[in-house]
Amino acid sequence: MKFTLNLAAKEFSSSNLVLISAFQKTIPAKGKAKEQQVLANTHWSKDVKAKFESIKTSSNFTGSLGDKFTFHLDNGTTVLAYGLGDKTKLDFEGLRNEAAKITTMLQATHKEVAIQFDGFVLKSKSEESLNALVEGMELASYKFDRHLSKKNESKLKDVILDSSIKKTSAKKLQSVLDSTLIVTESIGVARDFVNEAPNILRSTVYAKQVLADIKGVKGVKSKVLGKAELKKEKMGLFLSVNAGSAYEPQLVHLTYTPSKVTKNTKHIALVGKGLVFDTGGYSLKPGGSMMNMKFDMAGSSTVYAAFRAVAKLGLNVKVTCILGMTDNAVNEHATMPDSIVKGRNGMSVEILNTDAEGRLVLADCLDYACDQKPDAIIDSATLTGAVLVSLGNQVCGIMGNNKKLTDKILKSAKTTDEYMWELPIIKEFHEDMKSPIADLKNIGGSSFGGSSKAAAFLSNFVKNDIPWAHLDIAGIGDSQGHKAYCPAKGASGLIIRTLVDFLKNS
Ligand code: BES
Ligand code: ZN
Ligand code: ZN
């Protein structure tokens, strides 16, 4: 969609549809009269109000959340009043969701809409409101329809934001709009990668497409390590996951260096699990659990999208992005359970379950990331089914070795209205990941606390006490339809906004 800011607007832009907000207020009970919910439309212009009131049925419209009322002005303009409920109860996430619902509704019917933006400004915060409104609209307009021969194309192409806000704010608001669109576009890129079928998005294809996508972005350098290079790097754990694959493993190494680096410029490394398909390997997943394992690369798409957004925004933070790509498949070379394999950091691992493969790929990628000497490392992975058991399928798990870093990421999650909760890594979990015949084993003695034990395993591959946080997105990577701006089925693109906010504040 194309968004146009029209500031210092005296009247609605010419459009066949004008969208205005409506709120609802409560009149407390008095004497015999019961409490009453009535329309609060003081922000409407005189003529709009008059026209609305002249329509008999308008008294039924009280501006409750999601309530709609359409009427026509004398000049033929159609006005859609959309209820946002009690203004004091609406937060930015609420606005994001309502904007998404409005978009889904208009996509079927209208080519263009002029929105009276002032009525969508919450708490007098025009920048945050603009950000939430545009995020909701853009994220809801996402479709993965490239394989459909008959596409259900959206009609809605143009959005005009009419506002009485003075032109002196134009630069700031335009920059909020532009940066919001960079982030939502990046979320779209991540969703496309995650939704793509595994017979198409092989590791090699994925790597190539990432490089093509980032090509020409200022400050970005890239390289890809294939099988031969991973052997040279002694990435035995990563290679053990790839052993049963017909396709090369790919380690995509991206760096973004801002134009002005000072000694205060922070360097953050992002690491992502990029399992383009996870069959489980010899520890084969049952059919039902294997379905949808194309999304096992969502961790890598998440960090890539954040990286891409930061580079395109030109933020003042250095970012390294390491994506570990392969499938986990079975052939005569596939790693057998009970194998003992050495990682890049020299530690031996008894691989008791080939389905606990993400941690093996991440282990070598984390060790490699440490050599880039970042100030902090964040990895993101669809790592454990256990995170769905502990936190449900709507919350991202966070674990790590540094409270300051964890707290900072949690704060970003809160700022961007994304659900995230910390899980502990206790010394007993570290103990449980030790093997009597190797330095480590890749699964714990019991499945209890599975997410934290996976994180305990990973912590062994973080060198020199570098602050590190691990995000387990297995629960939230897809099918997050409880948020109106996420598809009910398919990639969610959640946590990218959290990471961008974190990097912005680094
Ligand atoms: N990719 C899965 C994790 C997963 C499971 C993501 C369900 C989304 C939904 C991961 O590689 C895996 O299979 N983990 C195992 C670990 C176990 C063998 C210790 C799991 O969670 O069952
Ligand atoms: Zn697995
Ligand atoms: Zn996996």
Side-chain angles (χ1 to χ4, degrees):
M1 283 182 291
K2 183 172 156 256
F3 288 84
T4 310
L5 269 175
N6 180 29
L7 299 187
K10 296 228 161 44
E11 50 194 36
F12 301 133
S13 290
S14 71
S15 165
N16 49 20
L17 183 72
V18 166
L19 175 74
I20 60 175
S21 71
F23 292 97
Q24 192 179 50
K25 68 174 180 209
T26 304
I27 298 177
K30 200 174 172 195
K32 276 192 187 150
K34 279 194 193 147
E35 182 186 275
Q36 218 189 335
Q37 258 82 38
V38 298
L39 179 65
N41 62 353
T42 45
H43 56 294
W44 292 8
S45 69
K46 249 190 197 159
D47 49 331
V48 169
K49 234 190 239 177
K51 191 76 208 174
F52 172 79
E53 281 159 12
S54 74
I55 302 164
K56 243 186 173 176
T57 51
S58 69
S59 57
N60 298 329
F61 178 70
T62 63
S64 65
L65 198 64
D67 206 1
K68 296 173 273 289
F69 191 83
T70 307
F71 55 104
H72 304 279
L73 301 182
D74 291 338
N75 63 5
T77 303
T78 305
V79 179
L80 167 65
Y82 187 90
L84 293 177
D86 184 341
K87 195 168 187 175
T88 61
K89 287 191 184 140
L90 190 70
D91 56 13
F92 294 115
E93 177 68 352
L95 179 57
R96 207 174 276 120
N97 274 306
E98 294 315 307
K101 288 180 201 163
I102 290 168
T103 307
T104 308
M105 175 177 73
L106 296 184
Q107 274 182 341
T109 50
H110 286 80
K111 207 174 130 297
E112 184 186 76
V113 61
I115 300 178
Q116 198 239 343
F117 174 62
D118 298 3
F120 291 85
V121 173
L122 304 181
K123 304 173 180 64
S124 306
K125 293 186 173 176
S126 54
E127 291 168 25
E128 285 89 339
S129 303
L130 178 64
N131 169 254
L133 181 78
V134 174
E135 273 178 356
M137 294 192 76
E138 272 292 291
L139 294 177
S141 73
Y142 173 84
K143 281 191 174 68
F144 185 71
D145 57 5
R146 62 172 70 147
H147 299 298
L148 290 175
S149 43
K150 235 186 173 176
K151 298 186 206 316
N152 187 9
E153 276 205 35
S154 161
K155 280 205 171 79
L156 194 58
K157 302 278 184 241
D158 280 298
V159 180
I160 305 157
L161 298 161
D162 290 325
S163 171
S164 67
I165 296 173
K166 289 200 190 91
K167 287 223 164 101
T168 45
S169 303
K171 221 170 148 190
K172 188 69 217 158
L173 285 174
Q174 188 63 47
S175 106
V176 169
L177 174 60
D178 294 343
S179 51
T180 303
L181 291 174
I182 287 176
V183 175
T184 55
E185 180 200 63
S186 300
I187 292 174
V189 169
R191 284 173 171 178
D192 276 348
F193 280 137
V194 177
N195 287 329
E196 188 53 283
N199 60 320
I200 297 169
L201 198 79
R202 307 290 186 195
S203 49
T204 44
V205 176
Y206 186 17
K208 257 192 211 123
Q209 290 190 2
V210 164
L211 293 200
D213 180 66
I214 203 71
K215 199 174 170 200
V217 178
K218 210 174 145 215
V220 174
K221 285 202 173 116
S222 62
K223 65 175 167 183
V224 181
L225 281 61
K227 199 168 188 163
E229 290 85 7
L230 295 192
K231 275 186 188 158
K232 256 190 222 147
E233 287 284 341
K234 297 192 166 58
M235 291 195 167
L237 294 172
F238 190 163
L239 287 163
S240 78
V241 176
N242 179 255
S245 171
Y247 305 92
E248 285 242 346
Q250 304 273 271
L251 185 149
V252 176
H253 178 167
L254 308 169
T255 49
Y256 161 69
T257 312
S259 47
K260 280 188 209 112
V261 178
T262 68
K263 63 180 190 326
N264 295 327
T265 307
K266 286 276 182 299
H267 176 196
I268 309 292
L270 303 174
V271 177
K273 170 177 172 180
L275 264 287
V276 291
F277 198 80
D278 180 10
T279 68
Y282 270 120
S283 313
L284 198 66
K285 284 183 186 292
S289 317
M290 200 188 295
M291 212 159 30
N292 208 29
M293 275 301 146
K294 68 173 184 181
F295 103 123
D296 213 19
M297 33 62 74
S300 60
S301 288
T302 303
V303 292
Y304 172 64
F307 173 86
R308 158 192 211 284
V310 167
K312 290 200 172 203
L313 289 167
L315 296 186
N316 194 24
V317 54
K318 181 174 174 184
V319 189
T320 292
C321 184
I322 309 292
L323 314 170
M325 302 168 176
T326 178
D327 52 3
N328 182 23
V330 194
N331 66 15
E332 63 271 42
H333 302 295
T335 299
M336 290 167 289
D338 288 350
S339 297
I340 296 179
V341 176
K342 212 182 242 185
R344 186 177 185 272
N345 75 347
M347 288 182 98
S348 58
V349 178
E350 187 183 13
I351 300 174
L352 291 173
N353 189 321
T354 61
D355 196 14
E357 85 298 338
R359 63 198 73 184
L360 302 176
V361 172
L362 286 179
D364 281 343
C365 289
L366 283 170
D367 185 65
Y368 180 89
C370 289
D371 287 354
Q372 310 304 312
K373 299 193 173 28
D375 296 304
I377 304 179
I378 304 172
D379 79 68
S380 156
T382 48
L383 205 64
T384 64
V387 81
L388 285 101
V389 179
S390 53
L391 296 179
N393 64 348
Q394 294 161 349
V395 182
C396 173
I398 180 167
M399 291 139 267
N401 65 2
N402 183 290
K403 186 169 164 17
K404 227 171 129 187
L405 176 65
T406 309
D407 285 349
K408 205 167 167 206
I409 300 169
L410 282 165
K411 192 170 165 221
S412 287
K414 217 176 178 122
T415 304
T416 53
D417 296 306
E418 300 198 302
Y419 297 127
M420 192 180 283
W421 198 257
E422 186 178 5
L423 294 169
I425 311 178
I426 56 175
K427 69 177 188 315
E428 285 81 350
F429 295 161
H430 286 292
E431 282 305 312
D432 199 18
M433 298 311 290
K434 286 184 181 157
S435 156
I437 58 168
D439 298 328
L440 294 167
K441 53 190 164 76
N442 78 328
I443 56 167
S446 84
S447 60
F448 298 149
S451 310
S452 293
K453 286 175 186 171
F457 176 88
L458 292 179
S459 70
N460 290 289
F461 299 88
V462 180
K463 281 192 271 214
N464 311 327
D465 290 328
I466 297 175
W468 154 77
H470 158 62
L471 305 176
D472 195 332
I473 63 162
I476 56 147
D478 77 340
S479 304
Q480 297 293 293
H482 58 103
K483 295 196 179 265
Y485 53 87
C486 290
K489 253 183 164 278
S492 70
L494 294 179
I495 303 304
I496 295 165
R497 292 190 304 112
T498 294
L499 289 175
V500 173
D501 184 82
F502 170 85
L503 292 164
K504 210 181 264 176
N505 294 304
S506 288

